Amino acid sequence: MQNPGVYNLGDRAITTALTGEVITDGTSAAGEDQAFIDRLDGMTAATISARFSYGSGGTSCKVWVQTSLDQGVTWVDIACFAFTTSSAHKMTNLSAALETANQLTPTDGALADNTNVDSILGDRLRVKITTTGTYAGSTTLAVRAAVR
Amino acid sequence: MTPEASRASHRRLIAAHGEPISIRRYTGTGTARPRFDWQGRARVTAFAPEALAGGLQQGDQKIIVLAEDLIAEQFPVPPRKHDKCVVRGRELNIEAVDDNTRRIAGVIIAYELAVRG
């Protein structure tokens, strides 16, 4: 694949409620800001780490890892990590080498808590989050992807 | 000099005289705040005594890092004041980022970072 390695899919200090906020901060090949990590053509697997450091307050924090198969026109959930009011570190591995038994209907910010959609990996990744309640006390989220 | 020629010249200089560094960005506050490092190669030098004016202090260092290397790592350019630079295992604070001096015809070739620590 192009550019295997560990990528930062987003770090965010969480305070007021966010709805469908993309937290990925990347750079295009031309050096322009973009809200995704690209140049991942040929990616066959992505191991994702989501670390939620809880401070205080808040209710829920949902984290959707997304890919796109149409150059960013539509984004598709491939994993959802759900956090509440305690620190947690969750990981999962997604593989494009598996064959899907059924056709899938893509979702955008709607995949069920703590589930994956395997076999679907495009050439780019990003993270979208929705939080409820007001977190405080240095609550942070960090999402990483080791792609190969 | 064209941007391509300048970039090639910088790359040769840094390949010959540079060293591996990381640019580190923290997010949030507190001991559990996340961080991420982008690795690159850079030329690390001291400022000349006559340059020590304004906000610069004795001991501050100048780091020249290729913009192309940061973009290849998908670092969200430009580096920011208060990002960190890890040089030989030591974490230094970025005091200032100059993205003008090494820009040719509007194309950024390299960043000059003033670091302290």
Side-chain angles (χ1 to χ4, degrees):
Chain A
M1 70 159 289
Q2 278 191 342
N3 308 315
V6 176
Y7 291 91
N8 185 352
L9 294 186
D11 289 335
R12 175 59 71 96
I14 299 173
T15 52
T16 54
L18 301 169
T19 302
E21 182 98 354
V22 175
I23 65 166
T24 307
D25 190 6
T27 301
S28 74
E32 305 295 331
D33 283 348
Q34 60 187 19
F36 54 89
I37 300 295
D38 67 351
R39 287 165 270 157
L40 304 176
D41 303 8
M43 171 172 51
T44 56
T47 303
I48 313 287
S49 157
R51 183 187 296 273
F52 182 77
S53 296
Y54 180 67
S56 61
T59 304
S60 70
C61 174
K62 293 192 182 186
V63 179
W64 292 280
V65 181
Q66 301 185 313
T67 191
S68 177
L69 301 173
D70 55 10
Q71 300 174 314
V73 177
T74 55
W75 288 89
V76 181
D77 299 330
I78 51 176
C80 175
F81 300 96
F83 301 99
T84 55
T85 54
S86 59
S87 294
H89 188 188
K90 298 183 179 183
M91 296 184 191
T92 192
N93 188 62
L94 304 165
S95 173
L98 302 171
E99 184 180 344
T100 50
N102 301 302
Q103 293 185 354
L104 303 166
T105 300
T107 61
D108 180 358
L111 187 66
D113 292 359
N114 302 313
T115 60
N116 292 346
V117 174
D118 226 331
S119 317
I120 309 293
L121 286 174
D123 65 347
R124 60 197 68 200
L125 294 170
R126 74 175 189 180
V127 164
K128 177 182 273 191
I129 68 171
T130 288
T131 67
T132 57
T134 300
Y135 285 96
S138 305
T139 300
T140 55
L141 173 71
V143 187
R144 307 282 183 264
V147 301
R148 68 260 182 218
Chain B
M1 179 178 275
T2 64
E4 292 73 22
S6 177
R7 187 179 294 118
S9 170
H10 275 78
R11 186 166 290 290
R12 279 195 303 275
L13 170 85
I14 289 173
H17 302 291
E19 59 186 290
I21 59 126
S22 299
I23 295 185
R24 175 172 292 171
R25 181 166 292 169
Y26 288 95
T27 299
T29 57
T31 54
R33 62 183 174 157
R35 75 172 201 214
F36 195 79
D37 290 357
W38 288 265
Q39 271 84 39
R41 200 168 169 83
R43 176 81 168 119
V44 182
T45 60
F47 281 102
E50 60 269 23
L52 297 178
L56 288 176
Q57 297 177 5
Q58 185 114 23
D60 287 356
Q61 298 174 77
K62 178 165 71 176
I63 295 182
I64 302 168
V65 59
L66 277 178
E68 193 177 53
D69 284 353
L70 295 180
I71 290 167
E73 288 267 314
Q74 306 216 22
F75 177 87
V77 290
R80 299 178 195 152
K81 186 176 182 180
H82 299 315
D83 280 345
K84 310 298 178 187
C85 208
V86 182
V87 179
R88 290 167 233 142
R90 188 168 173 194
E91 188 182 87
L92 309 170
N93 190 58
I94 296 177
E95 300 290 327
V97 178
D98 176 359
D99 67 351
N100 289 313
T101 300
R102 294 173 190 271
R103 191 179 281 270
I104 304 286
V107 178
I108 181 72
I109 306 300
Y111 295 98
E112 283 193 13
L113 313 176
V115 301
R116 181 176 300 161

